[in-house]
Amino acid sequence: MIILENLTKSFATPNGRKYVAKNINLTIPQGKAMALLGRNGAGKSTMLQMISGNMNPDSGQILTRGAVSFPVGFAGSFHRDLTGAQNARFVARIYGVDTDAMLDFVADFAALGGHLHMPVRSYSSGMRSRLAFGISMALDFDTYLVDEVTSVGDSAFRRKSAAVFKARMKKSSAIVVTHSLIEVRNLCNAGAVLENGEVTYFDDVEEAIAKHVSNMKRSK
């Protein structure tokens, strides 16, 4: 379970402060794969960064129960001069899991071939996302934070990603950011819509999609 209490986050812009969160109070139930929907620039990725603990809010707090993943698809914490394999082993040691088992899973899942043993600085953004998703899915978390990574790669890789994700959801929760409503329907059973610093939660993912689509049409 994740609880946002009086959460506020904003950034200074030439046109004044841009609010990602404006005194948000929200409880995200355990056992849900929740889509976080919103227009470009609404602050969805920033919300994941705050929930993961990688970014502090201006005020308020985030309470978490159980282990929460780093944002899957966010590879900013990788050491660019180390290989993908070395980064995977390093993360395994941090989380206290078998390094060989981690590397075997990542090698099979991410399908990077020889690139797995090349420096991460040589990777494309898609390759880094595949590495990040593989490393995260190799670890057991109570809540997974997923940012666009299920749209990376060809159709076969996306199917493999969805299958692994659904397997994890049998005993875990997730917050998923994606612009693909097809992916939302395929992966999620609840949703929340972020608009102008406010969040509306829907236990029915179709209601969340309808609200998001309505917001997008109103902005045109």
Side-chain angles (χ1 to χ4, degrees):
M1 181 182 293
I2 296 174
I3 302 172
L4 312 183
E5 290 188 346
N6 303 315
L7 193 72
T8 296
K9 182 68 176 180
S10 65
F11 299 95
T13 74
N15 298 318
R17 298 206 71 82
K18 164 69 175 179
Y19 279 87
V20 171
K22 192 182 299 181
N23 199 39
I24 289 176
N25 288 281
L26 174 68
T27 298
I28 302 171
Q30 189 67 23
K32 292 288 187 180
M34 187 193 82
L36 181 58
L37 303 173
R39 66 185 79 242
N40 288 335
K44 303 181 295 295
S45 294
T46 299
M47 288 292 292
L48 290 192
Q49 292 292 337
M50 288 193 290
I51 292 171
S52 71
N54 289 335
M55 183 182 295
N56 292 324
D58 297 339
S59 61
Q61 62 180 343
I62 300 173
L63 306 176
T64 60
R65 296 179 184 173
V68 178
S69 79
F70 49 87
V72 181
F74 175 71
S77 59
F78 288 154
H79 195 298
R80 290 171 53 82
D81 292 327
L82 297 181
T83 67
Q86 289 169 329
N87 273 283
R89 288 184 179 278
F90 178 73
V91 173
R93 287 193 291 270
I94 289 175
Y95 285 95
V97 301
D98 183 83
T99 56
D100 289 336
M102 163 73 83
L103 192 57
D104 287 345
F105 180 90
V106 172
D108 178 67
F109 177 83
L112 295 172
H115 291 283
L116 185 62
H117 300 283
M118 294 175 62
V120 168
R121 57 178 159 77
S122 68
Y123 286 18
S124 67
S125 60
M127 291 166 67
R128 289 194 300 271
S129 292
R130 287 160 65 174
L131 176 66
F133 195 21
I135 289 175
S136 181
M137 290 295 114
L139 299 167
D140 289 327
F141 292 107
D142 296 295
T143 302
Y144 290 86
L145 307 179
V146 182
D147 194 353
E148 289 292 352
V149 75
T150 53
S151 62
V152 171
D154 59 20
S155 59
F157 182 78
R158 291 196 297 272
R159 286 195 299 272
K160 180 166 63 172
S161 298
V164 171
F165 178 85
K166 289 177 179 179
R168 297 295 184 270
M169 289 307 97
K170 291 180 180 179
K171 60 178 182 178
S172 301
S173 303
I175 303 174
V176 179
V177 170
T178 176
H179 287 92
S180 170
L181 296 184
I182 294 174
E183 291 295 323
V184 168
R185 289 187 168 101
N186 184 34
L187 300 175
C188 302
N189 54 22
V193 180
L194 179 60
E195 177 81 1
N196 296 325
E198 299 180 353
V199 169
T200 305
Y201 174 80
F202 298 89
D203 204 48
D204 184 338
V205 70
E206 289 297 333
E207 292 181 8
I209 291 172
K211 177 63 175 176
H212 171 62
V213 170
S214 175
N215 288 346
M216 297 300 291
K217 287 180 177 178
R218 193 170 62 247
S219 68
K220 293 182 179 180

